[in-house]
């Protein structure tokens, strides 16, 4: 037996299993089984731990926290109720790519600058410096909100008080802006002491910022910057009815409003700052400062006893700022209690932009009497 064991160490083993199975061979087979079982248990443990970590990361992601109806637990409960097979969830696909900050000096790419020029109707014939100044005046501080560009502590200290700057010597203002100042000074919110004020209104007329208008005020930038209480426009309110000039009519006021709020007519949605700016109607200089008779709302008549509910008669801009709004007025016009009359005859080259409704609109506009 000893000789056979020694020979078995040097002789090659047979490919076929032997009949005899001694204790050493059984011990080796048992060790192999233990190793295989241990290796399989480790794999299962790794898969289990990896799955737990993946579910924890998925539950902490913004998409799952913002929408509880799409959470994995909710989906599993719904699938159990419906008895449908489980849905394989895919990785999210980001729709909007990261913004390209490589380009111009202010962080906008060339494509974004061209799009902004189109929205502002900036004349492409202007020099780069002039175009840059226009965009800086319009887009600067466009992210202002009440909590970031308004000092609420001034209102909490003395209540809501409005201070109107006194008119400087030799300074002239339009009749419309004088009405605004008069209304403020006659109100119960007015204060002549700037130390008690919560809101400041300029005495500089900024209603008409069309450089071709005879009411255009020059050197507004210098005049505003010289005000000791300006403070980069914080807690100030600026009124404006007309901005830009023909043929662009951009929303550039010709000066930097800083952090001031803007009460403006025909302001575009791109430049309007929600919960900060104020959209006001466009009124003429003949608009009365105060109402005459007591309004019909005092009697609470429903429906109102007036014949017309809404009346408008004016020019329809075929292109540029305000064209989208006035071109859609015909959808509201019913010819009975809502009368909206517009004409395409605006500017010297209006016929170049003439559309299919211009002839009919011009005819109704000329036939209608002054309402």
């Amino acid at each position: 037996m000893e000789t056979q064991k020694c020979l078995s160490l040097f002789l090659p083993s047979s490919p076929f299993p032997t009949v005899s199975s001694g204790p050493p061979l059984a011990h080796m087979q048992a060790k192999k089984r233990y190793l295989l079982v241990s290796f399989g248990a480790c794999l299962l443990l790794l898969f289990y731990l990896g799955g737990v970590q993946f579910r924890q990361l998925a539950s902490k992601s913004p998409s799952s926290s913002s929408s509880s109806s799409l959470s994995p637990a909710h989906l599993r409960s719904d699938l159990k109720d419906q008895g449908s097979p489980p849905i394989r969830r895919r990785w999210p696909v980001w729709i909007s790519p990261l913004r390209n900050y490589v380009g111009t000096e202010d962080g906008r790419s060339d494509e974004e600058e061209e799009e902004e020029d189109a929205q502002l109707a900036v004349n492409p014939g202007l020099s780069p410096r002039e175009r840059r100044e226009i965009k800086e005046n319009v887009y600067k501080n466009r992210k202002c909100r009440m909590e970031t560009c308004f000092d609420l502590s001034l209102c909490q200290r003395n209540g809501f008080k409005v201070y109107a700057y006194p008119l400087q010597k030799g300074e002239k203002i339009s009749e419309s802006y004088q009405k605004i100042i008069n209304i403020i000074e006659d109100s119960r919110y007015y204060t002549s002491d700037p130390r008690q004020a919560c809101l400041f209104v300029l005495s500089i007329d900024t209603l008409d910022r069309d450089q071709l208008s005879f009411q255009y005020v020059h050197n507004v930038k210098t005049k505003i910057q010289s005000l000791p209480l300006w403070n980069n426009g914080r807690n100030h309110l600026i009124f404006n009815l007309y901005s830009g000039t023909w043929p662009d009519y951009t929303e550039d006021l010709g000066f930097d409003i800083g952090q001031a709020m803007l009460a403006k007519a025909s302001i575009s949605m791109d430049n309007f700052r929600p919960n900060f700016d104020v959209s006001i109607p466009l009124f003429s200089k003949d608009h009365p400062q105060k109402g005459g008779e007591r309004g019909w709302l005092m009697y609470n008549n429903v429906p109102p006893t007036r014949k017309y509910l809404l009346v408008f008669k004016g020019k329809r801009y075929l292109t540029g700022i305000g064209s989208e709004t006035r071109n859609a007025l015909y959808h509201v016009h019913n010819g009975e209690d809502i009368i909206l009359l517009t004409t395409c005859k605006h500017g010297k080259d209006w016929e170049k932009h003439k559309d299919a409704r211009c002839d009919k609109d011009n005819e109704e506009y000329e036939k209608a009497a002054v309402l």
Side-chain angles (χ1 to χ4, degrees), residues 282-299:
L282 183 66
F283 60 91
S284 65
K285 63 179 181 179
D286 298 328
H287 190 79
Q289 178 176 330
K290 295 182 179 180
E293 300 178 357
R294 301 178 68 180
W296 291 99
L297 290 178
M298 297 295 297
Y299 301 97

Side-chain angles (χ1 to χ4, degrees), residues 313-371:
K313 184 179 181 182
K315 298 177 180 179
R316 176 159 70 90
Y317 306 126
L318 299 176
T319 59
I321 298 176
S323 59
E324 296 182 359
T325 304
R326 296 202 178 188
N327 287 338
L329 291 179
Y330 75 97
H331 292 289
V332 188
H333 172 79
N334 58 16
E336 297 178 0
D337 60 337
I338 300 179
I339 307 298
L340 302 174
L341 303 176
T342 57
T343 178
C344 297
K345 297 180 179 180
H346 176 65
K348 298 180 180 179
D349 57 346
W350 68 271
E351 294 183 356
K352 296 181 181 179
H353 309 283
K354 182 179 178 181
D355 56 23
R357 296 198 331 270
C358 279
D359 292 336
K360 182 179 179 181
D361 290 350
N362 293 340
E363 183 180 357
E364 292 182 355
Y365 182 88
E366 295 173 357
K367 283 184 178 180
V370 179
L371 299 175

Side-chain angles (χ1 to χ4, degrees), residues 15-271:
F16 302 100
T18 58
V19 177
S20 62
S21 59
L25 182 60
H27 180 69
M28 292 178 63
Q29 290 179 352
K31 289 178 65 176
K32 290 181 180 180
R33 286 196 297 269
Y34 293 149
L35 289 175
L36 289 176
V37 171
S38 301
F39 182 72
C42 292
L43 287 178
L44 291 176
L45 183 61
L46 289 175
F47 286 136
Y48 174 76
L49 294 177
V52 170
Q53 292 182 358
F54 178 77
R55 286 194 296 269
Q56 290 178 353
L57 291 175
S59 63
K60 293 180 181 180
S61 62
S63 59
S64 61
S65 62
S66 62
S67 178
S68 59
S69 61
L70 297 179
S71 61
H74 185 79
L75 289 174
R76 285 196 295 272
S77 62
D78 290 345
L79 291 176
K80 288 181 181 179
D81 298 337
Q82 299 175 2
S84 57
I87 300 176
R88 297 181 60 184
R89 298 178 62 85
R90 299 180 178 180
W91 290 101
V93 179
W94 306 110
I95 299 176
S96 57
L98 292 176
R99 179 178 177 181
N100 182 18
Y101 286 93
V102 179
T104 57
E105 297 178 356
D106 55 355
R108 293 188 295 270
S109 62
D110 295 338
E111 293 78 6
E112 291 173 332
E113 274 208 339
E114 293 177 358
E115 182 180 355
E116 290 176 356
D117 289 350
Q119 293 176 355
L120 287 172
V122 176
N123 188 355
L126 298 176
S127 64
R129 182 182 61 81
E130 293 174 338
R131 295 169 61 187
R132 185 166 56 252
E133 288 180 355
I134 290 177
K135 287 186 288 185
E136 284 179 355
N137 291 337
V138 174
Y139 284 97
K140 192 174 182 180
N141 297 311
R142 64 184 305 178
K143 295 183 179 181
C144 272
R145 298 296 184 269
M146 292 296 294
E147 58 271 13
T148 57
C149 297
F150 194 90
D151 188 0
L152 294 174
S153 63
L154 299 180
C155 303
Q156 296 173 355
R157 182 175 57 191
N158 299 315
F160 185 74
K161 298 292 184 179
V162 183
Y163 172 77
Y165 285 84
L167 188 63
Q168 298 296 327
K169 185 177 181 180
E171 191 75 27
K172 296 181 180 180
I173 60 177
S174 62
E175 183 179 353
S176 299
Y177 198 69
Q178 184 63 56
K179 292 178 181 179
I180 295 177
I181 299 298
N182 293 340
I183 292 174
I184 294 175
E185 293 179 348
D186 293 342
S187 69
R188 57 191 176 98
Y189 302 104
Y190 172 74
T191 177
S192 58
D193 188 359
R195 295 172 296 181
Q196 298 181 358
C198 168
L199 187 65
F200 299 84
V201 177
L202 302 177
S203 62
I204 304 172
D205 190 353
T206 58
L207 288 184
D208 194 346
R209 300 307 298 161
D210 185 353
Q211 296 183 8
L212 300 180
S213 174
F214 65 92
Q215 293 183 344
Y216 179 82
V217 179
H218 297 272
N219 302 324
V220 171
K221 179 179 179 180
T222 305
K223 295 176 181 178
I224 290 180
Q225 295 296 334
S226 62
L227 297 175
L229 302 175
W230 173 242
N231 193 22
N232 195 27
R234 184 174 286 259
N235 288 55
H236 281 68
L237 180 62
I238 295 177
F239 291 90
N240 176 253
L241 297 180
Y242 312 98
S243 61
T245 186
W246 186 89
D248 300 326
Y249 291 104
T250 65
E251 297 194 25
D252 175 35
L253 302 183
F255 63 94
D256 183 13
I257 65 174
Q259 297 180 357
M261 295 179 293
L262 186 61
K264 180 175 172 53
S266 302
I267 186 172
S268 65
M269 292 296 296
D270 296 328
N271 300 326

Side-chain angles (χ1 to χ4, degrees), residues 267-280:
I267 186 172
S268 65
M269 292 296 296
D270 296 328
N271 300 326
F272 181 78
R273 297 168 293 183
N275 300 325
F276 192 73
D277 290 334
V278 183
S279 179
I280 61 176

